[in-house]
Amino acid sequence: MELLRYGHDAWGQVVINGVSWDLLGLAVGAGAAVIVIHAIYRAIGKTSGRNRGN
Amino acid sequence: MATEPLDKVQRHAGIDRLFHWVTAATMVVLLATSLLPIIGIRFAWVDLHWMAGVLLTVAIVLHIVRATFWQQLMVIVPRPADLAEFSGARPGKYSLPQKLMHLAWALAVVAAAVTGVLLMIKAGTPFFVRNPYVFTLGTWGYLTLLHDLAALLSVFLIMVHVYFGLLPEKRAYLRSMAKGWMTRAELRAHHRDGERGPP
């Protein structure tokens, strides 16, 4: 996976053009991971809370 | 602290709610216009993108001025004392996670706005005569890099922010950002009463 996008200037030297858009999937994946992990943590907390109540 | 009928406590003034939703709408437009073409949905995105960017930048400047001179700026700044929340202490107006979310948004939005305004010089808009020679190609590259990183951070933050905002136990916060108020019981359940800061 590339981290950056590259191009060339008028002298043929490599210059950075920006972030590689491969990282878009990483950003979406990180967001989804936080959501899933929190949802699991929340579900476990609710289950153990109900069990304590019984 | 002004108490309204039905035991409502104002949490966010109308102008602050307007700022929040203008920011939300412009961020959605900015991310859609910049990222949809990348995933293959092609359309004339540039004009819509810079116009939304200008609106967001104006909103940010007004928000910073209001927060600095008309509100208690430190109410939203994370402090070491906030760590007491891990041992059960109730926060003031904003909890540590809310402060960290605001800090992350501030970093992303300010970085995007500052680099975006400079990139408008390269793109050419009614505000700037197009001049791609103001900076070297390398400098434009680094500005674009920062702009892109702010966009990626914003994608992550939108997902997390919307998720937490829609959780049933956070519904009072969502309502307060829509209608401005929480009930006193909701306030006392999660915050130190009397330390919510100005609305």
Side-chain angles (χ1 to χ4, degrees), chain B residues 58-154:
Chain B
V58 170
I60 292 166
V61 170
L62 292 176
H63 175 64
I64 291 171
V65 170
R66 174 168 161 74
T68 304
F69 297 106
W70 278 272
Q71 296 182 302
Q72 295 173 17
L73 190 60
M74 291 308 290
V75 163
I76 197 71
V77 176
R79 291 176 296 177
D82 297 328
L83 295 174
E85 289 174 35
F86 286 107
S87 52
R90 285 186 298 169
K93 183 172 183 179
Y94 297 108
S95 66
L96 181 58
Q98 289 170 331
K99 290 178 177 182
L100 292 175
M101 177 58 78
H102 180 270
L103 181 63
W105 269 123
L107 284 174
V109 172
V110 169
V114 170
T115 53
V117 167
L118 292 172
L119 287 167
M120 283 169 66
I121 301 170
K122 186 184 179 193
T125 64
F127 297 102
F128 299 108
V129 176
R130 183 174 183 273
N131 185 358
Y133 306 107
V134 172
F135 298 119
T136 65
L137 210 54
T139 304
W140 284 123
Y142 282 111
L143 288 173
T144 308
L145 176 71
L146 282 174
H147 200 69
D148 294 349
L149 286 173
L152 293 180
L153 177 58
S154 299

Side-chain angles (χ1 to χ4, degrees), chain A residues 4-5 16 19 21 38 42, chain B residues 38 141 144-145 148 163 169:
Chain A
L4 301 173
R5 306 193 310 273
I16 289 172
V19 162
W21 293 121
H38 184 268
R42 187 168 165 269
Chain B
I38 290 166
T144 308
L145 176 71
D148 294 349
Y163 166 73
E169 61 267 33

